[in-house]
Amino acid sequence: MKIGVLSLQGDVREHARSLSDCGVHSSLVRRPSELEAVDALVIPGGESTTISKLARIFDIFQPIQERISAGMPVYGSCAGMILLADRVEDAIVGQESFGGLDVTVRRNAFGRQVDSFETDLTFKGITQPPIRAVFIRAPWVESVGSSVEVLAEVDGHPVAVRSDHLFATSFHPELTGDNRIHKFFIEEVCEPALKSASARNVVK
Ligand code: GLN
């Protein structure tokens, strides 16, 4: 399995390291041809408006949308969550997301950069110890569609969600050295999605 890390802006290297610590080969994705070479994608945290503008400049915006529609597994962290959301509150005028995930996300929901914080989270599907989660000017999920499962919350606000092949967290697991969130993406999201895609190809 080849997982790409969208490398337009944000903590690209940290995600690549977390994936390689999980034993998965990752590659940097900036161009459409680099996207074609991967089975799944991580969209890192950073700044969502910057990433979406650069995605347009690098002509990879629409190819990412097409792959999302075609079932490519994607994990979006923080700004990446905003970029996967179908609806964004507190967006700047004209801000674009790739979409695909039937959620409304509120940008900068926990406050400004100085309100960034860490906390321990109970995460559905990952057993003890709790996940140490780093929130940096993070979004939260305001509401979810019926296909979306909430995996973790802070004060009643969803901060980790999953719908079929799409997975998103408001926080930054790549910064803590605990690779269980990346492992969850690989084992619970990518592997089943890629297995059913190859089963469909065999039937064809
Ligand atoms: N506040 C940022 C945004 O709107 C996200 C912050 C992050 O990714 N750490 O894109």
Side-chain angles (χ1 to χ4, degrees), residues 31 62 64 68 94 98-99 108 112 115 134 142 147-148 151 154 172 174:
R31 306 266 177 204
Q62 202 187 327
I64 290 176
I68 289 174
F98 304 123
N108 308 331
R112 303 172 53 182
D115 302 312
V134 179
E142 196 101 335
S147 70
V148 178
L151 302 170
V154 170
H172 289 263
E174 74 285 3

Side-chain angles (χ1 to χ4, degrees), residues 6 15 33 40 56 81 83-84 87 90 140 142-143 146 151 158 197:
L6 185 63
H15 277 287
S33 58
R56 284 287 181 203
M81 170 190 263
L83 286 157
L84 280 180
R87 295 165 299 278
D90 257 330
W140 70 43
E142 196 101 335
S143 62
S146 56
L151 302 170

